[in-house]
Each structure stands twice: as C-alpha cells, then as structure tokens.
Amino acid sequence: MSKTVLLATEKPFSAAARDEVVAIIKGAGYTARVLESYKGKGPLLEAIADADAAIVRSDIIDAEVLGAAKKLALVVRAGAGYDNIDTATAKSKNIAVMNTPGQNANAVAELAFGMLVYLARGKFDGKTGSELRGKTLGLHAFGAVGRAVATVAKGFGMQVFAYDPFVKPEQFQAAGVEPVGSAEELYKRSQYVSLHVPATAETKNSIGKKLLSLLPKGGTVVNTARKEIINEAELLEVLAERQDIRYISDIAPSDATAAALKEKFDKRTFITAVKQGAQTEEANVNAGLAAARQIVGFFERGEKQFIVNP
Ligand code: 3PG
C-alpha cells in the first residue's frame, strides 16, 4: 500500500524547498501532506494520525504526538539536534528517528559570524570596535557545525581551539584546529567561544559561572546550539560581575532572562528574534531534501544510516 509522508514545519521551509521535498515524496509514489505554520498541537495530532513517515524541524514530537500516530514508522528531523523528539517513546513504539547531520551546518556557521561581527563592532553604533583577525576562538564541541565554524574562522584569521571528548585527535588536526583537554582550558584560552553542544540530560545547565568566569577579558560566547545548555541564572550573575563579558544567542532564553538581558546588558548581548541559524534557502533545501531521500531509502531499500534511536 502506498505510503503517506507528512511534512510538518511550524517554522516553514522556503516554498521552493517545500516543493522539492513534495516532489521527491510524490516521485516515490507516496502521498505528500504538508502542514506549515501551524499553531498549537491540535493540527499536528490530526495530521500525523495516518502518516507512515514525518519530516519535522524543531516541532515537538512528544509521547502525545507519537501516540496519535497510528501507522508511523519513521520521523526525520530535517536538521541536526533531535532533542525535540521523544526518541525513547518512539523506540518503544518501533518508530525510527533520524536526523540529517551537516545539512544546515554552513548556514549556522555563517550566522554565528554575522552575530560575532555585529557585537565586535558595537552593534554598528559608529564607535570604535574590534576585529576578529588574530583573536582566539574556542569551539565547545566539534560536530558538523563546529567544523563549519572552524572553516569560516580560518578565513577571518582566527586561532581556533576545540574541546570535544568524542572526537579523535586526527579529526581536529585535519581541520587545522588545536584540541584542548578540558572545557575549562577552552574557556580560559578563548576570547570567543562558540557553542555546539547538543541538549541532553548531561549537558543541560552545564555552561554557567564555573566556565564563563574563566573567559579572558572581553570574552564573548556565541550560542547557536540550544538554550537548555546555559545556566541562565549564572549567566546573568557573570554578566553583572564582569562588565567585559558578552553573550550572543540565536536561541531565545526564558522570557525573564531575555528581559533582564535587554534591561541590564543590552550593549553586551544580542538575541535573534526568531531562531534562524538554519533559515537559509540553501539549508532548507539541503536538510529538507536529505530528509525526503532518507525516507524513500528507508522504505524502499531498508537504509538505516541516520537512525538515532537504534
Ligand atoms: C538544528 O538542530 O538543525 C538547528 O537547530 C536548526 O533548527 P530548525 O530547523 O528548527 O531551524
């Protein structure tokens, strides 16, 4: 029987990317359903009921959503981080979960640098700012996005360090990046730290005063990863104690923290209005099409390469 594939994106892809995703699904002889810019869980619960597979972005796929799905065999997160999906419940229901690692990495890396330049130039206030060339950059985690950030950083003439206990020394060397032995050492040596840590039970609230207070003078942290990895109370504490520290994020913190950042530390902080690291035409196409192709590969050829809940 023909499969039904749902593309559910609360934050939609570009129209061109969406149309190409739909074309791949239809090209495989499947039925394509599109649910974009939806509000609340209701429409998703309804749309996923008869889907065999779903493509999502940061859409919350929790036990309730999985419970509403009667035939679901596969969810593909068109992107890197899959903390929005209850992978354990999916596994218990025999639903495979995949991501599309690396497909939006360059888009995120470019945004990180856009924000770094914006802050280094005093939010374009016309006063004397500073350059990135010759400065030290620490990558906290060295996956696909960390590697893309390293590539851009080299173009800026930065000296790049990285800390990632899961990466082999030769992988750092191949990227021309100097590995350091601990997160503490990374924060101590880096004028700029770029976060690429996934949100897991272990990493939640893991970046707080202990690490942030190690930053050298003028230390700047750019977060294009996840809000959960930051200990927000301690971030506010460090910003109050150290007038030189700066924080930039593509992921809004809690409303209370966002209000405090704006009120007390506006000149030294910047938060994008909507998370937009992966919001480029190219990243939409790369991640969306990869997701659609992975679904076809899974059903037609039993391909399991990107399953994250084996
Ligand atoms: C990711 O994990 O791939 C990024 O955070 C992008 O998320 P988005 O697709 O929700 O923009």
mmCIF file of all heavy atoms in Angstrom, residues 166-183:
data_model
loop_
_atom_site.group_PDB
_atom_site.id
_atom_site.type_symbol
_atom_site.label_atom_id
_atom_site.label_comp_id
_atom_site.label_asym_id
_atom_site.label_seq_id
_atom_site.Cartn_x
_atom_site.Cartn_y
_atom_site.Cartn_z
ATOM 1 N N PHE A 166 34.532 13.423 22.312
ATOM 2 C CA PHE A 166 34.093 12.336 21.425
ATOM 3 C C PHE A 166 34.794 12.349 20.066
ATOM 4 O O PHE A 166 34.481 11.544 19.195
ATOM 5 C CB PHE A 166 32.573 12.405 21.215
ATOM 6 C CG PHE A 166 31.798 12.357 22.499
ATOM 7 C CD1 PHE A 166 31.250 13.515 23.042
ATOM 8 C CD2 PHE A 166 31.648 11.162 23.191
ATOM 9 C CE1 PHE A 166 30.549 13.480 24.249
ATOM 10 C CE2 PHE A 166 30.960 11.117 24.391
ATOM 11 C CZ PHE A 166 30.410 12.276 24.925
ATOM 12 N N VAL A 167 35.706 13.303 19.884
ATOM 13 C CA VAL A 167 36.351 13.453 18.577
ATOM 14 C C VAL A 167 37.814 13.014 18.659
ATOM 15 O O VAL A 167 38.521 13.330 19.614
ATOM 16 C CB VAL A 167 36.229 14.926 18.106
ATOM 17 C CG1 VAL A 167 37.069 15.181 16.861
ATOM 18 C CG2 VAL A 167 34.761 15.270 17.833
ATOM 19 N N LYS A 168 38.263 12.293 17.638
ATOM 20 C CA LYS A 168 39.649 11.780 17.622
ATOM 21 C C LYS A 168 40.631 12.901 17.268
ATOM 22 O O LYS A 168 40.298 13.771 16.459
ATOM 23 C CB LYS A 168 39.773 10.660 16.583
ATOM 24 C CG LYS A 168 38.964 9.429 16.906
ATOM 25 C CD LYS A 168 39.394 8.282 15.986
ATOM 26 C CE LYS A 168 38.513 7.078 16.192
ATOM 27 N NZ LYS A 168 37.305 7.107 15.347
ATOM 28 N N PRO A 169 41.864 12.836 17.817
ATOM 29 C CA PRO A 169 42.851 13.895 17.554
ATOM 30 C C PRO A 169 43.044 14.180 16.072
ATOM 31 O O PRO A 169 43.168 15.334 15.664
ATOM 32 C CB PRO A 169 44.142 13.338 18.181
ATOM 33 C CG PRO A 169 43.694 12.327 19.169
ATOM 34 C CD PRO A 169 42.375 11.808 18.724
ATOM 35 N N GLU A 170 43.060 13.112 15.239
ATOM 36 C CA GLU A 170 43.324 13.346 13.811
ATOM 37 C C GLU A 170 42.211 14.163 13.137
ATOM 38 O O GLU A 170 42.449 14.847 12.146
ATOM 39 C CB GLU A 170 43.572 12.023 13.060
ATOM 40 C CG GLU A 170 42.525 10.949 13.224
ATOM 41 C CD GLU A 170 42.800 9.989 14.388
ATOM 42 O OE1 GLU A 170 43.438 10.410 15.376
ATOM 43 O OE2 GLU A 170 42.343 8.838 14.304
ATOM 44 N N GLN A 171 40.982 14.114 13.708
ATOM 45 C CA GLN A 171 39.895 14.898 13.110
ATOM 46 C C GLN A 171 40.097 16.398 13.364
ATOM 47 O O GLN A 171 39.778 17.224 12.527
ATOM 48 C CB GLN A 171 38.546 14.446 13.673
ATOM 49 C CG GLN A 171 38.143 13.062 13.183
ATOM 50 C CD GLN A 171 36.885 12.566 13.865
ATOM 51 O OE1 GLN A 171 36.928 11.979 14.938
ATOM 52 N NE2 GLN A 171 35.752 12.816 13.253
ATOM 53 N N PHE A 172 40.640 16.730 14.543
ATOM 54 C CA PHE A 172 40.965 18.141 14.817
ATOM 55 C C PHE A 172 42.086 18.583 13.888
ATOM 56 O O PHE A 172 42.048 19.657 13.296
ATOM 57 C CB PHE A 172 41.425 18.322 16.269
ATOM 58 C CG PHE A 172 40.363 18.067 17.305
ATOM 59 C CD1 PHE A 172 40.439 16.976 18.158
ATOM 60 C CD2 PHE A 172 39.289 18.938 17.444
ATOM 61 C CE1 PHE A 172 39.476 16.748 19.119
ATOM 62 C CE2 PHE A 172 38.313 18.718 18.412
ATOM 63 C CZ PHE A 172 38.414 17.613 19.244
ATOM 64 N N GLN A 173 43.111 17.715 13.812
ATOM 65 C CA GLN A 173 44.282 18.059 13.004
ATOM 66 C C GLN A 173 43.890 18.299 11.546
ATOM 67 O O GLN A 173 44.331 19.280 10.931
ATOM 68 C CB GLN A 173 45.332 16.946 13.081
ATOM 69 C CG GLN A 173 46.212 17.070 14.326
ATOM 70 C CD GLN A 173 46.623 15.713 14.880
ATOM 71 O OE1 GLN A 173 46.593 14.712 14.165
ATOM 72 N NE2 GLN A 173 46.999 15.672 16.152
ATOM 73 N N ALA A 174 43.016 17.432 11.013
ATOM 74 C CA ALA A 174 42.601 17.570 9.613
ATOM 75 C C ALA A 174 41.934 18.924 9.378
ATOM 76 O O ALA A 174 42.006 19.475 8.275
ATOM 77 C CB ALA A 174 41.642 16.443 9.246
ATOM 78 N N ALA A 175 41.302 19.465 10.403
ATOM 79 C CA ALA A 175 40.605 20.750 10.255
ATOM 80 C C ALA A 175 41.496 21.926 10.642
ATOM 81 O O ALA A 175 41.049 23.077 10.623
ATOM 82 C CB ALA A 175 39.335 20.735 11.109
ATOM 83 N N GLY A 176 42.741 21.639 10.992
ATOM 84 C CA GLY A 176 43.659 22.718 11.376
ATOM 85 C C GLY A 176 43.270 23.380 12.683
ATOM 86 O O GLY A 176 43.476 24.578 12.882
ATOM 87 N N VAL A 177 42.694 22.583 13.584
ATOM 88 C CA VAL A 177 42.197 23.104 14.853
ATOM 89 C C VAL A 177 42.997 22.471 15.984
ATOM 90 O O VAL A 177 43.313 21.278 15.931
ATOM 91 C CB VAL A 177 40.694 22.732 14.985
ATOM 92 C CG1 VAL A 177 40.180 22.905 16.389
ATOM 93 C CG2 VAL A 177 39.873 23.558 14.008
ATOM 94 N N GLU A 178 43.315 23.244 16.993
ATOM 95 C CA GLU A 178 44.094 22.699 18.109
ATOM 96 C C GLU A 178 43.165 22.157 19.204
ATOM 97 O O GLU A 178 42.384 22.923 19.781
ATOM 98 C CB GLU A 178 44.977 23.808 18.706
ATOM 99 C CG GLU A 178 45.933 23.290 19.764
ATOM 100 C CD GLU A 178 46.749 24.419 20.396
ATOM 101 O OE1 GLU A 178 47.069 25.403 19.712
ATOM 102 O OE2 GLU A 178 47.047 24.304 21.598
ATOM 103 N N PRO A 179 43.219 20.862 19.481
ATOM 104 C CA PRO A 179 42.339 20.336 20.537
ATOM 105 C C PRO A 179 42.854 20.726 21.918
ATOM 106 O O PRO A 179 44.060 20.803 22.127
ATOM 107 C CB PRO A 179 42.415 18.819 20.343
ATOM 108 C CG PRO A 179 43.652 18.568 19.573
ATOM 109 C CD PRO A 179 44.026 19.812 18.839
ATOM 110 N N VAL A 180 41.950 20.960 22.852
ATOM 111 C CA VAL A 180 42.357 21.199 24.241
ATOM 112 C C VAL A 180 41.726 20.099 25.094
ATOM 113 O O VAL A 180 40.735 19.476 24.705
ATOM 114 C CB VAL A 180 41.952 22.605 24.752
ATOM 115 C CG1 VAL A 180 42.610 23.697 23.912
ATOM 116 C CG2 VAL A 180 40.449 22.776 24.770
ATOM 117 N N GLY A 181 42.323 19.862 26.278
ATOM 118 C CA GLY A 181 41.969 18.699 27.072
ATOM 119 C C GLY A 181 40.742 18.829 27.956
ATOM 120 O O GLY A 181 40.244 17.833 28.487
ATOM 121 N N SER A 182 40.240 20.053 28.131
ATOM 122 C CA SER A 182 39.072 20.206 29.014
ATOM 123 C C SER A 182 38.288 21.448 28.612
ATOM 124 O O SER A 182 38.835 22.367 27.964
ATOM 125 C CB SER A 182 39.523 20.359 30.471
ATOM 126 O OG SER A 182 40.229 21.584 30.627
ATOM 127 N N ALA A 183 37.031 21.479 29.037
ATOM 128 C CA ALA A 183 36.207 22.671 28.774
ATOM 129 C C ALA A 183 36.820 23.874 29.487
ATOM 130 O O ALA A 183 36.854 24.981 28.941
ATOM 131 C CB ALA A 183 34.781 22.427 29.250
#
